[in-house]
Amino acid sequence: MLTKSFGLLFYLKKRSGKSKGKLPVYMRITIDGRRTEIAVKSECEPARWNPSSGRASGNKEEIRKLNTYLDILQGKVYDIYRELVSKGVEVTSEQIKAELSGAKQDKRMIIQLFQEHNDRLSALVGSEFSHNTHKRYVTSMTHTREFIRWRYQLEDIEITRLDFQFIEDYEFWLKSQRKCNHNTTMKYLANFKKIVLSCVKRGWLLKDPFESFKMGKHEVDREVLTEAELNKVVVKKMPTSRLDQVRDIFVLLLHGSFICGCPQAQTKRSNCRNGQ
């Protein structure tokens, strides 16, 4: 992931209406300019506080205990930061505060939800969905993960990060990095949209990021097969009898004279396959 600016500072916070006595010690965590303040539940005399070191000055027992406590707290913050970075997840000052206080919240992550969707779909393959449908969603999830790595240098991000810009960037990545044509790009985005709409319906997203995004496909002008191309289809050896029947129907629709029930046509088909 990209290197983020990280800062940690201990300071005394002034209380309104109180000019004398001890002041509470606060810890400020700053990541990429975003600050979070945490009360460390300790106090210090302003005259004993050294703003440069972020520690109390003196040799008294209570001063040593305070500084030791702040050292331990600082070490915990750095441990949490390194652990989050090693996991490849997004690191914020609010997240570190939650980890430090033990008030962890279950975060809904894009790839995690995509995987849960695919697992459910896999369980229904053969009854409600085909193997190819499952395969398409697996491929779509792989593309989504690779896009997040490319765009955010992370393994996964929260669904709250989904917005119109995310969709636009994803479209650009599919076309520029994966070299997908427009219609293929729209198919992948349509698969991803199903996951997004599920989050909207459950109330996890307040707004559909696809709302203003145009999903139209380009009309494709398909050319008619030539006689030589049609002959290649006729002589091609299929791996299964089912595909052999599908090919026969396809050729029948395009060139009925090649395949029919009469012996003459069957002979013609056999000769064509033998290159005669």
Side-chain angles (χ1 to χ4, degrees):
M1 75 183 280
L2 289 178
T3 302
K4 288 177 174 260
S5 60
F6 175 83
L8 188 151
L9 171 69
F10 291 103
Y11 67 98
L12 298 184
K13 189 169 186 177
K14 294 182 180 180
R15 292 171 175 169
S16 58
K18 185 177 180 179
S19 58
K20 295 182 179 180
K22 293 182 178 181
L23 295 177
V25 181
Y26 270 70
M27 176 172 58
R28 177 185 296 154
I29 302 173
T30 306
I31 298 180
D32 284 357
R34 297 183 62 179
R35 297 178 175 179
T36 295
E37 294 181 344
I38 305 173
V40 302
K41 300 179 181 180
S42 294
E43 294 182 327
C44 181
E45 292 283 353
R48 294 283 188 180
W49 187 257
N50 185 338
S52 298
S53 64
R55 298 291 189 277
S57 301
N59 295 318
K60 289 185 177 182
E61 181 66 19
E62 63 175 321
I63 296 297
R64 290 199 298 269
K65 286 184 178 180
L66 172 60
N67 288 340
T68 299
Y69 172 63
L70 297 182
D71 289 341
I72 293 174
L73 193 57
Q74 178 174 291
K76 287 183 178 179
V77 171
Y78 278 103
D79 287 342
I80 292 172
Y81 177 78
R82 284 192 290 266
E83 182 181 358
L84 292 174
V85 170
S86 67
K87 290 181 178 179
V89 300
E90 183 181 16
V91 184
T92 65
S93 55
E94 293 85 358
Q95 187 174 5
I96 292 179
K97 179 180 178 179
E99 294 275 346
L100 192 63
S101 63
K104 298 181 182 179
Q105 295 181 350
D106 292 333
K107 295 189 175 182
R108 298 181 177 95
M109 313 296 284
I110 293 175
I111 300 302
Q112 178 184 351
L113 292 173
F114 215 140
Q115 182 63 61
E116 290 175 1
H117 166 272
N118 289 356
D119 290 343
R120 287 174 175 266
L121 194 153
S122 176
L124 297 174
V125 168
S127 57
E128 294 188 22
F129 300 99
S130 68
H131 174 74
N132 287 335
T133 299
H134 176 254
K135 185 177 180 180
R136 285 197 300 270
Y137 276 98
V138 170
T139 302
S140 294
M141 188 185 75
T142 299
H143 288 341
T144 305
R145 178 186 285 115
E146 291 177 357
F147 163 69
I148 290 174
R149 288 171 178 166
W150 175 82
R151 178 65 177 81
Y152 301 95
Q153 290 76 50
L154 296 169
E155 291 300 313
D156 206 349
I157 63 174
E158 292 184 72
I159 61 172
T160 53
R161 297 283 298 275
L162 292 175
D163 55 15
F164 181 81
Q165 186 64 54
F166 181 99
I167 307 303
E168 267 198 337
D169 291 344
Y170 193 6
E171 177 194 21
F172 170 78
W173 180 84
L174 286 169
K175 291 181 177 179
S176 64
Q177 302 298 313
R178 297 298 306 178
K179 306 301 180 184
C180 298
N181 62 37
H182 178 79
N183 288 354
T184 301
T185 297
M186 291 303 108
K187 289 180 181 178
Y188 285 130
L189 289 178
N191 292 339
F192 180 63
K193 184 177 181 179
K194 182 180 179 181
I195 311 301
V196 174
L197 290 182
S198 175
C199 294
V200 174
K201 292 176 181 178
R202 296 178 184 180
W204 299 342
L205 279 178
L206 298 179
K207 185 179 180 180
D208 176 14
F210 281 91
E211 184 177 358
S212 301
F213 186 82
K214 294 183 179 180
M215 296 282 291
K217 295 182 180 179
H218 294 166
E219 185 175 348
V220 178
D221 185 16
R222 301 184 183 276
E223 297 182 358
V224 178
L225 292 177
T226 64
E227 188 74 18
E229 291 171 335
L230 185 58
N231 286 336
K232 288 182 179 180
V233 175
V234 172
V235 299
K236 181 175 178 59
K237 186 175 181 180
M238 296 299 175
T240 65
S241 59
R242 183 183 66 83
L243 290 178
D244 197 50
Q245 292 174 353
V246 171
R247 185 264 315 284
D248 288 351
I249 294 173
F250 172 75
V251 175
L252 174 64
L253 293 175
L254 293 181
H255 202 298
S257 64
F258 268 78
I259 301 177
C260 68
C262 63
Q264 294 88 346
Q266 294 293 338
T267 301
K268 187 174 184 181
R269 172 187 171 188
S270 176
N271 291 339
C272 183
R273 286 184 174 176
N274 294 327
Q276 299 177 14

